[in-house]
Amino acid sequence: MIIIRILHEQAFLQMCNLPIKVVCRANAEYMSPSGKVPFIHVGNQVVSELGPIVQFVKAKGHSLSDGLDEVQKAEMKAYMELVNNMLLTAELYLQWCDEATVGEITHARYGSPYPWPLNHILAYQKQWEVKRKMKAIGWGKKTLDQVLEDVDQCCQALSQRLGTQLYFFNKQPTELDALVFGHLYTILTTQLTNDELSEKVKNYSNLLAFCRRIEQHYFEDRGKGRLS
Amino acid sequence: MAAPLELSCWGGGWGLPSVHSESLVVMAYAKFSGAPLKVNVIDNTWRGSRGDVPILTTEDNIVSQPAKILNFLRKQKYNADYELSAKQGADTLAYIALLEEKLLPAVLHTFWVESDNYFTVTKPWFASQIPFPLSLILPGRMSRGALNRILLTRGQPPLYHLREVEAQIYRDAKECLNLLSNRLGTSQFFFGNTPSTLDAYVFGFLAPLYKVRFPKIQLQEHLKQLSNLCRFCDDILSSYFRISLGAFSCVNRYQQQIDFGEVHSHDSTTRKLIASEWRHLSSWTRYGRCKSAETHTTCK
């Protein structure tokens, strides 16, 4: 989750041409006002999560979606919710509700900063919380195949919306592009027990090309791309 | 010959074929796509399930949840999205996600969590539709489910108080309504001149909010200012459900409480008695003893 979120916000800030410095801190979660990482620290203000960061940056006079009309802004917000609704939930499901992934990767990774037995307790607690949330939104009884089908449907919608354009709206990137890039890049580059999730994304060549384009354009100074 | 399709769903009121959003979505889609549905309204018999309503039953299948039911109907060749382009199909998914993320929490709150609304309108209505003792259990369970969903999806730090979550979800819902209104503009439906899946979803979510008479109505007031969305709901009601807009209007809120049993009742005096007993109990907890004594006398 941390990896995904860093990419959304970082991509957004770089698209705005704002100079940023990425700093890693072990107590980052506790420094953040919402408990979520990453967050931005500007002067004496601290803002976390993509939505508030976008609002903050907009208040300072930088916005990626000023050129959109009202109907396009509605569409952009709708597609952002689609990504949150389907992709984010599917990623959570795969991390915490797919027993194979949980056993082999998630538990160990989530509990790794903590000593025994805290590592197990916190991991189980997190898993219980996620399962509760899944049940509340109606994903409790979904199988892995159904979740993968939802991801496919979401990618298909994004691919159809993107078409042959460079970005989702006009020729300039918007918050939606940052969000989609963050999710797709993480899906494509994170190693899991099976590759089905990344295979679903790879079926859509325009989405792959989109991710490569953003990686090359905005992240090329961070070393060679991982999408080649 | 297609297998008969039966839909179990919650009943209607206030001029609507159903007051339950999900049931209304399916009913609207069936009308738009021409699917011949036999609608079985939940009543006070013990027939059928109430938990996961709406439920579509055919000879070989039982399907629940609106998205799955609509998919099933499409596979049976009842497709309201036939004329949509690929991009419009993608937009449909996106707008449905917007409705579920931004509007649904506030609708759930208005119906099931806001105490004045829940105890005076929602709980009595739903309790009056089902047999005793389920009427004592199910509305409470639905209310807890709604609160759970709101807190689990939106109640994360830094929003520690329910009041702050409420403020945020109503802000989001108003923004969502504005976005929908902008998107609809002056068109009759969201995509062209024929209704599609998105129209069914928007109608299903908006119509109960628009029509049901609540004591606490901040979201409803906001919706009523968006005249194109109101016109959208009224057009669908009059074209596809042929319910006149003046039906089921109630004189005032207190009268409305008494009207529940009569508008939706069958001829069961037992049922009216149970419903009135339940209103008495609701009033007792909500308004205190003085008012309940008055209600008790009136109902008896």
Side-chain angles (χ1 to χ4, degrees):
Chain A
M1 286 307 295
I2 294 174
I3 303 167
I4 300 170
R5 288 199 172 271
I6 286 176
L7 279 177
H8 298 162
E9 280 86 345
Q10 201 178 339
F12 169 71
L13 292 167
Q14 289 192 306
M15 285 169 186
C16 290
N17 284 325
L18 293 171
I20 56 169
K21 186 174 146 196
V22 178
V23 176
C24 296
R25 289 270 187 278
N27 61 339
E29 270 182 316
Y30 302 103
M31 291 163 70
S32 162
S34 73
K36 294 205 168 113
V37 286
F39 56 88
I40 58 172
H41 187 185
V42 180
N44 58 356
Q45 287 175 294
V46 182
V47 186
S48 63
E49 296 196 64
L50 182 64
I53 288 178
V54 168
Q55 295 296 331
F56 177 81
V57 167
K58 192 171 175 174
K60 300 290 179 190
H62 299 272
S63 172
L64 291 178
S65 48
D66 278 344
L68 301 184
D69 63 34
E70 291 303 322
V71 172
Q72 284 176 314
K73 277 188 186 157
E75 260 186 50
M76 185 186 80
K77 296 219 162 124
Y79 275 95
M80 285 175 78
E81 290 311 324
L82 178 67
V83 171
N84 281 332
N85 197 331
M86 293 246 193
L87 283 187
L88 184 61
T89 318
E91 283 152 8
L92 262 183
Y93 179 95
L94 211 61
Q95 280 190 318
W96 291 104
C97 302
D98 176 42
E99 293 305 329
T101 315
V102 168
E104 282 187 36
I105 299 177
T106 320
H107 257 226
R109 190 169 62 188
Y110 189 79
S112 61
Y114 310 103
W116 187 90
L118 206 54
N119 54 350
H120 288 302
I121 296 172
L122 289 177
Y124 277 116
Q125 186 188 41
K126 177 75 180 175
Q127 188 180 15
W128 178 76
E129 274 173 25
V130 172
K131 281 191 169 169
R132 256 182 88 203
K133 182 174 171 180
M134 291 293 155
K135 197 169 162 204
I137 59 173
W139 280 54
K141 292 185 184 150
K142 284 201 180 183
T143 61
L144 182 61
D145 285 336
Q146 285 168 335
V147 169
L148 288 172
E149 211 179 289
D150 284 344
V151 168
D152 189 47
Q153 223 185 13
C154 179
C155 291
Q156 190 182 30
L158 290 171
S159 175
Q160 280 162 356
R161 180 66 187 80
L162 182 64
T164 50
Q165 294 173 134
L166 286 181
Y167 301 107
F168 281 92
F169 290 94
N170 304 327
K171 300 195 172 63
Q172 295 300 322
T174 58
E175 289 89 343
L176 176 62
D177 300 276
L179 188 67
V180 172
F181 170 72
H183 280 288
L184 293 186
Y185 185 86
T186 311
I187 289 174
L188 289 167
T189 53
T190 305
Q191 288 281 55
L192 290 175
T193 46
N194 63 37
D195 288 332
E196 284 178 37
L197 193 58
S198 58
E199 288 304 316
K200 290 284 179 205
V201 177
K202 284 179 186 165
N203 284 335
Y204 299 96
S205 54
N206 61 345
L207 292 181
L208 263 187
F210 167 80
C211 289
R212 278 203 195 102
R213 199 179 317 123
I214 296 199
E215 189 194 15
Q216 279 163 6
H217 199 126
Y218 293 99
F219 292 89
E220 58 196 357
D221 59 348
R222 290 172 58 79
K224 72 172 182 213
R226 294 166 65 189
L227 282 179
S228 46
Chain B
M1 177 95 150
L5 303 166
E6 290 190 19
L7 180 75
S8 300
C9 60
W10 290 103
W14 293 277
L16 298 170
S18 173
V19 303
H20 183 234
S21 281
E22 295 184 342
S23 306
L24 204 51
V25 166
V26 177
M27 287 166 104
Y29 183 85
K31 290 282 184 187
F32 298 160
S33 61
L37 272 194
K38 180 165 170 281
V39 175
N40 294 330
V41 164
I42 287 177
D43 59 16
N44 64 336
T45 66
W46 287 93
R47 234 173 351 111
S49 156
R50 286 150 197 82
D52 287 333
V53 154
I55 295 176
L56 185 74
T57 322
T58 64
E59 275 173 11
D60 314 311
N61 290 291
I62 298 177
V63 190
S64 64
Q65 292 182 359
K68 289 186 189 160
I69 296 177
L70 263 53
N71 268 339
F72 180 83
L73 289 175
R74 274 184 215 111
K75 286 183 185 148
Q76 303 293 314
K77 313 283 184 224
Y78 298 113
N79 188 1
D81 297 343
Y82 189 71
E83 292 180 5
L84 295 189
S85 67
K87 185 189 168 295
Q88 287 172 328
D91 285 353
T92 300
L93 271 188
Y95 276 101
I96 290 174
L98 185 72
L99 286 173
E100 286 179 355
E101 290 290 316
K102 296 285 183 187
L103 185 60
L104 182 61
V107 170
L108 285 177
H109 188 275
T110 303
F111 272 78
W112 295 101
V113 181
E114 172 61 63
S115 336
D116 284 347
N117 295 350
Y118 174 62
F119 286 107
T120 60
V121 177
T122 317
K123 192 173 186 182
W125 190 89
F126 278 86
S128 70
Q129 302 291 299
I130 47 183
F132 180 86
L134 205 56
S135 54
L136 296 180
I137 304 167
L138 192 57
R141 197 195 296 168
M142 290 169 82
S143 169
R144 279 190 295 280
L147 180 61
N148 215 20
R149 183 178 174 140
I150 293 171
L151 288 178
L152 283 175
T153 52
R154 309 305 293 277
Q156 288 158 19
L159 302 174
Y160 288 107
H161 292 282
L162 180 60
R163 229 175 255 288
E164 290 169 15
V165 178
E166 286 168 9
Q168 181 65 42
I169 61 178
Y170 277 103
R171 264 200 297 275
D172 286 344
K174 287 173 187 170
E175 196 199 333
C176 179
L177 290 175
N178 293 343
L179 292 175
L180 287 173
S181 180
N182 286 338
R183 176 63 186 75
L184 181 63
T186 51
S187 311
Q188 196 184 5
F189 299 110
F190 280 89
F191 299 115
N193 293 324
T194 48
S196 60
T197 302
L198 180 58
D199 300 284
Y201 268 89
V202 174
F203 174 71
F205 279 68
L206 292 190
L209 196 60
Y210 175 36
K211 293 289 186 186
V212 175
R213 306 267 174 89
F214 286 117
K216 289 273 171 72
I217 49 172
Q218 56 158 319
L219 197 56
Q220 199 174 60
E221 287 293 320
H222 188 90
L223 174 57
K224 285 184 177 168
Q225 290 169 15
L226 301 167
S227 55
N228 61 347
L229 292 181
C230 298
R231 187 253 315 149
F232 170 82
C233 292
D234 289 331
D235 282 351
I236 291 182
L237 280 172
S238 55
S239 311
Y240 290 92
F241 292 100
R242 288 199 189 91
I243 295 174
S244 69
L245 302 176
F248 302 111
S249 62
C250 299
V251 176
N252 58 43
R253 182 166 59 84
Y254 187 71
Q255 180 66 26
Q256 202 171 300
Q257 285 178 287
I258 313 295
D259 274 344
F260 286 143
E262 285 135 31
V263 164
H264 303 290
S265 71
H266 306 287
D267 289 327
S268 163
T269 47
T270 316
R271 206 171 149 281
K272 276 192 198 173
L273 185 63
I274 301 291
S276 72
E277 283 300 305
W278 188 244
R279 280 196 295 277
H280 157 66
L281 281 172
S282 306
S283 312
W284 179 280
T285 52
R286 183 76 197 109
Y287 292 112
R289 295 179 185 180
C290 306
K291 192 125 182 147
S292 75
E294 190 188 339
T295 318
H296 191 82
T297 321
T298 317
C299 290
K300 293 264 174 167

